[in-house]
Amino acid sequence: IDKGRLMKMPFDRMSLLDHVINSCLVLSNVCLKKQDRVGLITFSNVQGTILPADRKPTQTENILQTLYKQKTDFLESDFEMLYQQIRNKIKHRSLLILFTNFESLSGLNRQMDYLRSIARYHLLLVVFFENTELNKLSKSDAKNVEEIYIKTIAEKFSFEKRLIAKELSKYGILSILSSPQKLTINTINKYLELKTRQAI
């Protein structure tokens, strides 16, 4: 879980990090019921919490206690540090679900080398967020020059989010572009799909 500044963005009176925490609790429960081992790494500009993967019944409580303490930071997240943590701590090929956010293609490109390095050793699924407010603006009717300008900018940002997903796919990295309210169901469905395909 990325706890950097982009995860502070609000949606429906909660931060994106809050939505991620809720989804992780549900997802981890589903994974444990499927007899998969579940662990957790949080990170921002500094090393966060590492909870080693396990399938014991108490792991749900361990995850709950770990997630309860998490807060966002105002700084950029260190993806190089995340890569090093994963290399040091996770020795077997695993499904890694990375909850983060990218607002632009340039933001993704700054981290792409680290994501590609992680994907060399693990099945990487990057989960990032639609900007639902911009999506609404891009679909609204423009009645004057200013509204046309705002609508055009909103469409550009929405299009760029889809480009991010395409760019990840180009390097064999799976992704989910989700609205915060559909995060849990979209992530669980993807996990179940990967299980069915025996990709993990």
Side-chain angles (χ1 to χ4, degrees), residues 115-176:
L115 297 178
R116 290 177 66 188
S117 295
I118 293 168
R120 274 200 287 273
Y121 301 97
H122 302 281
L123 180 60
L124 178 59
L125 170 60
V126 175
V127 183
F128 65 111
F129 292 92
E130 293 176 351
N131 190 319
T132 50
E133 292 305 310
L134 284 179
N135 283 355
K136 282 181 203 166
L137 285 172
S138 70
K139 291 168 184 165
S140 62
D141 292 328
K143 300 179 181 67
N144 55 48
V145 173
E146 183 183 0
E147 288 180 4
I148 290 170
Y149 176 76
I150 291 169
K151 180 180 166 73
T152 303
I153 295 296
E155 285 171 349
K156 175 189 177 293
F157 278 107
S158 294
F159 178 67
E160 194 145 342
K161 289 277 189 177
R162 295 191 295 277
L163 281 182
I164 289 170
K166 279 189 179 176
E167 191 70 10
L168 289 165
S169 175
K170 194 162 77 177
Y171 294 106
I173 299 170
L174 304 173
S175 68
I176 298 172

Side-chain angles (χ1 to χ4, degrees), residues 174-185:
L174 304 173
S175 68
I176 298 172
L177 174 58
S178 178
S179 61
Q181 72 263 39
K182 292 183 180 174
L183 178 64
T184 301
I185 191 69

Side-chain angles (χ1 to χ4, degrees), residues 73-87:
D73 294 317
F74 288 98
L75 299 172
E76 292 289 333
S77 295
D78 188 340
F79 281 76
E80 181 180 9
M81 179 188 63
L82 174 67
Y83 166 68
Q84 293 296 343
Q85 284 181 303
I86 289 169
R87 289 293 291 139

